[in-house]
Amino acid sequence: MALRTLGAAGRAVAQLASGLNTAVLALLLLLWLAVTAVTSVVGVGLLTAPASLRALHALAGRERARLARRGPEVVAPQPPPTRLRPALVDATIHRELRWLVRHATLGLLLGLLGVLLPITAVRDTAFPLYWTFMPENTTATSLGIGNAHTWPDALAVALLGVGWIAIILGLTPGMARLQSGPGRRLLAAGPDVDLSLRVAELTATRAAALDAHATELRRIERSLHDGAQNRLVSVAVLLGAARRMVARDPAGADELLERAQSAAEMALAELRTVARGILPPVLADRGLAGALSGLAADCAVPCRIDVDVPERCAASVEATAYFVVAEALTNIAKHSGAGHATVTARGSGGRLVLSVEDDGRGGADAEGGSGLTGIRRRIAAHDGDLTLTSPPGGPTVLTVDLPCGR
């Protein structure tokens, strides 16, 4: 029971601290919207209104992703308009504005308390360990009142720290629910929104994930059967022949052993290739930026890499991004006739956006080709989006939007 209470309090403090990040952004955005509203009287704010509305929707999306990581998914409504006149009467915008005000005030206060309470609890509880080293007449408690001159005074401060711990254990779970409540109520799709399309989309996504998994298993089985397994059979045959020849023809047996060693080395190389195809170890060793740099270095077409992903994504998402870029660069080298390619990766707001561009002949079919079909299946498994722009004459731009999955 005690461990369960302690774990719940720890999760609540972590949730309050993560909510503090979006609450600070909400406060800054609220100030920006206020300035925009005031300056709209003279016309200046009308120019920045669309950008501020886009920022509001992006922050709301970031809060939905944060809440989904720590509880049930918050189903997003349809994207609201960013033009001023439709936005003034849009219900989603009104709900997001109400959430913004509450999160920038109450959510910010709760987040600060969630961060400060553990700090004050540690300071006061550990006070007897360091109070003798403090200058004379220095405030003893984290409340800014009282001085400690004797050991009983120091122990009294420690008891205050125990009180802070009790408050953390008892109140922080409720504080976390109070902080996340407005987001779960106001940022979710309203009862008037038809969720049948979302259900159909998730059903299709699940089917695509299962199909992609089955395809991947077939690819691994085919690679093992046609490659490493045949090599190992050859090794077994050569070793058996060498064993029978070792007594009557040592030179011939030695030649067979060399051939068996060569076949074993080739089998080992193919097994390593299959293992890298399942989950490239370079992702764990060097991260997404290093892995993409390796792909660019191995590409037959000169390729430039531009990666700005401050935080690591889930391993499955990074693997999908790696294979998408690998397949895209393979297609560029085989079919585009391009002289240069560029791979861009950006991570923000819980999303990973990849862009692969080449200056080739263009005309790529967004629906055709086994390579693009495989890319679509991998992306659909993560509920991501793919956009391909490839007019005749180029350039071709492949854009992928994936949730970071953390």
Side-chain angles (χ1 to χ4, degrees):
M1 184 65 181
L3 291 177
R4 186 181 305 172
T5 302
L6 185 61
R11 291 189 295 270
V13 169
Q15 183 173 344
L16 289 167
S18 68
L20 179 61
N21 294 328
T22 53
V24 171
L25 295 176
L27 178 61
L28 296 176
L29 180 56
L30 185 61
L31 294 175
W32 182 15
L33 289 172
V35 172
T36 300
V38 172
T39 55
S40 294
V41 178
V42 294
V44 178
L46 298 177
L47 301 176
T48 61
S52 61
L53 290 174
R54 285 193 294 271
L56 172 63
H57 184 56
L59 183 59
R62 181 169 180 172
E63 179 70 4
R64 291 187 191 97
R66 183 187 76 87
L67 295 175
R69 288 194 298 269
R70 302 180 181 277
E73 179 185 5
V74 180
V75 179
Q78 292 296 321
T82 55
R83 295 196 309 177
L84 185 58
R85 182 170 295 179
L88 291 176
V89 296
D90 185 76
T92 300
I93 293 289
H94 294 169
R95 292 163 67 89
E96 289 183 350
L97 286 173
R98 288 162 56 194
W99 164 81
L100 184 73
V101 173
R102 297 186 185 186
H103 199 55
T105 52
L106 180 61
L108 180 64
L109 176 62
L110 293 172
L112 287 173
L113 288 175
V115 171
L116 293 178
L117 279 174
I119 296 175
T120 56
V122 171
R123 181 196 183 280
D124 290 348
T125 305
F127 185 75
L129 301 178
Y130 63 83
W131 78 280
T132 55
F133 302 102
M134 296 181 64
E136 191 175 355
N137 293 327
T138 302
T139 301
T141 67
S142 55
L143 294 176
I145 58 174
N147 302 104
H149 302 286
T150 62
W151 277 104
D153 294 338
L155 293 176
V157 177
L159 289 177
L160 177 62
V162 174
W164 292 127
I165 294 175
I167 291 175
I168 292 172
L169 295 177
L171 296 185
T172 50
M175 292 166 57
R177 290 192 296 270
L178 186 60
Q179 185 193 56
S180 63
R184 293 196 175 278
R185 290 194 307 272
L186 298 175
L187 298 183
D192 56 331
V193 176
D194 184 10
L195 296 182
S196 59
L197 292 178
R198 178 60 175 166
V199 172
E201 179 184 347
L202 291 176
T203 302
T205 297
R206 179 177 178 272
L210 294 174
D211 194 15
H213 179 66
T215 302
E216 191 68 12
L217 289 178
R218 285 195 298 270
R219 182 189 67 80
I220 295 171
E221 188 275 335
R222 187 167 54 250
S223 298
L224 292 174
H225 181 273
D226 297 342
Q229 179 175 292
N230 288 340
R231 301 288 184 191
L232 292 174
V233 170
S234 176
V235 170
V237 172
L238 291 171
L239 288 176
R243 183 181 179 184
R244 290 189 295 271
M245 292 177 62
V246 68
R248 56 187 173 83
D249 187 4
D254 185 63
E255 181 183 353
L256 290 178
L257 288 174
E258 288 185 2
R259 291 170 58 188
Q261 181 180 1
S262 177
E265 291 174 351
M266 295 177 68
L268 181 59
E270 290 178 355
L271 286 174
R272 287 173 177 166
T273 301
V274 173
R276 285 195 296 269
I278 298 172
L279 185 63
V282 68
L283 283 172
D285 298 337
R286 300 170 56 194
L288 184 60
L292 295 184
S293 298
L295 289 176
D298 295 337
C299 184
V301 177
C303 183
R304 183 176 67 88
I305 297 291
D306 182 11
V307 179
D308 182 15
V309 184
E311 299 180 356
R312 293 294 298 266
C313 297
S316 60
V317 175
E318 289 189 346
T320 295
Y322 177 88
F323 287 121
V324 165
V325 173
E327 184 66 34
L329 292 180
T330 299
N331 289 342
I332 290 173
K334 287 183 177 179
H335 309 298
S336 71
H340 188 269
T342 302
V343 177
T344 305
R346 295 285 183 268
S348 63
R351 309 291 298 185
L352 175 63
V353 180
L354 298 169
S355 176
V356 183
E357 181 177 356
D358 69 79
D359 58 356
R361 65 176 65 94
D365 185 1
E367 301 297 333
S370 59
L372 281 175
T373 300
I375 289 176
R376 284 191 179 278
R377 286 173 176 170
R378 286 185 179 274
I379 295 169
H382 292 281
D383 202 13
D385 297 317
L386 180 147
T387 304
L388 178 66
T389 304
S390 184
T396 297
V397 181
L398 176 71
T399 304
V400 174
D401 186 351
L402 292 166
C404 283
R406 283 196 183 281

